[in-house]
């Protein structure tokens, strides 16, 4: 096992204690031998070593003083990328159907669609070493999140694979996803996960990510939705117990880092929200 892989195991054991479940549907299984080989080759890249649990030490280089690189965060629960979670055989990145903007429906032969308040999300990928002024085109961002009830597809909702998708950054470093505002489940503030890859082919062929991290959602907007939409169940009560300040992923960052990790949300006037965020890599 590579040092990077061991770090992931230790992180998971300390920070995300969840009961293991039975294997997931076989249609997403793939031959992991090639992926393990590729990950082993990538394991020696020391500058991308995962930071220890509870630490805000960036896995990326420091970057310009006026533009801090986005920090590494745990990829749990279950990224479904063939590397971690309950079943490493499950890898949605083995299917080109995952390359899509609208991540609400299921794909690759599975049925169902995530219900919830519409979210049009726009993320910009930039190079941190140039004061975040240089967009990074041609990179792939894999995004996944829980649904309104707080469930993750292929995790505690084994019958669906929605709310997972991959997009490639354009000339301005932009990627766009159509999703829903996620619910708030016990133990976490509302959030989404993402991985950045060097290219679409890198993501789909099993190469190691350049960054794995998370975004938080503004509490005010989430609270307004949770109060008025019954589809979000216990989300309001969970948010009151686990605001961003108590979330184990975001609480140990200073004010500047935490601000980087909170998406900006605005009402789009169509019973939904428009969200923006910036991801800064130091390559």
């Amino acid at each position: 096992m590579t040092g990077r892989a061991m770090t992931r195991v230790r992180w998971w054991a300390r920070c995300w204690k969840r009961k293991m479940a039975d294997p997931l549907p076989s249609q997403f299984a793939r031959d992991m031998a090639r992926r393990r080989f590729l990950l082993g080759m990538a394991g020696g890249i020391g500058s991308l070593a995962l930071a220890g649990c509870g630490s805000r030490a960036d896995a990326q280089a420091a970057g310009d003083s006026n533009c801090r690189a986005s920090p590494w965060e745990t990829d749990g629960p279950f990224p479904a990328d063939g590397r971690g979670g309950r079943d490493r055989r499950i890898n949605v990145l083995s299917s080109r159907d995952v390359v899509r903007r609208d991540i609400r429906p299921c794909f690759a032969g599975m049925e169902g669609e995530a219900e919830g308040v519409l979210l049009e999300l726009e993320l910009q990928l930039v190079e941190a070493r140039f004061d975040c002024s240089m967009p990074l085109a041609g990179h792939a961002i894999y995004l996944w999140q829980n649904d309104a009830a707080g469930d993750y597809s292929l995790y505690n909702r084994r019958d669906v694979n929605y709310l997972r998708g991959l997009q490639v950054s354009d000339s301005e470093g932009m990627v766009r996803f159509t999703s829903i505002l996620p619910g708030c489940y016990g133990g976490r503030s509302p959030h989404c996960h993402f991985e950045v890859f060097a290219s679409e082919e890198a993501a789909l062929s099993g190469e190691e990510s350049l960054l794995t991290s998370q975004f938080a959602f503004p509490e005010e907007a989430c609270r307004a939705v949770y109060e008025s939409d019954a589809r979000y169940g216990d989300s309001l009560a969970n948010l009151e117990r686990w605001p961003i300040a108590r979330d184990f992923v975001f609480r140990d960052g200073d004010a500047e880092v935490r601000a980087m990790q909170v998406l900006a949300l605005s009402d789009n006037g169509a019973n939904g929200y428009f969200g923006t965020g910036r991801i800064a890599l130091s390559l």
Side-chain angles (χ1 to χ4, degrees):
M1 181 179 290
T2 66
R4 182 178 176 82
M6 181 61 72
T7 302
R8 285 181 179 275
V9 171
R10 289 172 178 166
W11 178 294
W12 195 267
R14 293 197 302 265
C15 293
W16 203 270
K17 297 179 180 178
R18 288 182 176 269
K19 185 178 180 181
M20 300 298 284
D22 296 331
L24 297 174
S26 60
Q27 62 263 39
F28 288 97
R30 68 180 299 191
D31 182 1
M32 291 305 298
R34 180 171 179 271
R35 185 171 186 99
R36 291 193 182 102
F37 171 78
L38 289 170
L39 293 182
M41 294 292 289
I45 305 177
S47 64
L48 295 180
L50 188 61
C53 178
S55 170
R56 299 301 293 186
D58 286 350
Q60 303 186 76
D64 189 281
S65 60
N66 295 321
C67 176
R68 296 173 67 173
S70 299
W72 277 81
E73 302 290 4
T74 176
D75 56 5
F78 197 42
D81 62 359
R83 290 184 293 171
R86 291 183 168 182
D87 194 328
R88 294 180 180 229
R89 297 174 301 169
I90 307 305
N91 185 5
V92 299
L93 298 183
S94 65
S95 171
R96 289 193 177 274
D97 290 344
V98 76
V99 182
R100 63 215 187 110
R101 173 170 176 166
D102 191 344
I103 64 174
R104 294 172 298 175
C106 290
F107 63 100
M110 298 192 79
E111 297 181 354
E113 182 169 331
E115 295 185 0
V117 172
L118 177 68
L119 171 66
E120 295 289 353
L121 183 60
E122 184 176 88
L123 304 176
Q124 184 179 35
L125 186 64
V126 297
E127 167 60 74
R129 292 180 299 175
F130 300 95
D131 198 23
C132 287
S133 62
M134 179 181 290
L136 293 175
H139 288 65
I141 296 180
Y142 168 45
L143 181 81
W144 71 98
Q145 64 173 78
N146 60 270
D147 62 18
D151 294 329
Y152 284 87
S153 66
L154 301 174
Y155 184 66
N156 43 11
R157 278 295 305 276
R158 299 170 59 192
D159 59 324
V160 292
N161 61 1
Y162 53 46
L163 299 179
R164 299 178 182 276
L166 185 78
Q167 286 282 276
V168 177
S169 57
D170 63 18
S171 61
E172 298 299 319
M174 297 291 189
V175 296
R176 296 169 179 86
F177 293 95
T178 298
S179 186
I180 64 167
L181 193 75
C184 182
Y185 57 87
R188 290 299 312 273
S189 181
H191 64 284
C192 62
H193 302 254
F194 66 89
E195 292 179 318
V196 181
F197 295 89
S199 65
E200 179 180 312
E201 287 305 314
L204 298 178
S205 63
E207 293 186 22
E208 184 73 352
S209 65
L210 302 177
L211 173 68
T212 300
S213 194
Q214 301 182 28
F215 277 116
F217 285 78
E219 292 176 13
E220 183 177 357
C222 290
R223 186 173 286 107
V225 170
Y226 300 162
E227 287 177 342
S228 60
D229 195 322
R231 292 174 295 184
Y232 285 87
D234 296 329
S235 291
L236 181 60
N238 289 330
L239 179 59
E240 297 300 337
R241 295 181 64 188
W242 288 285
I244 294 174
R246 294 190 61 193
D247 186 282
F248 79 87
V249 170
F250 305 114
R251 68 187 177 194
D252 54 345
D254 59 34
E256 183 179 355
V257 169
R258 191 177 300 175
M260 290 172 55
Q261 293 188 277
V262 179
L263 294 167
L265 287 187
S266 59
D267 191 326
N268 68 6
N271 297 318
Y273 287 86
F274 178 71
T276 58
R278 187 175 69 183
I279 302 168
L281 289 181
S282 186
L283 300 177

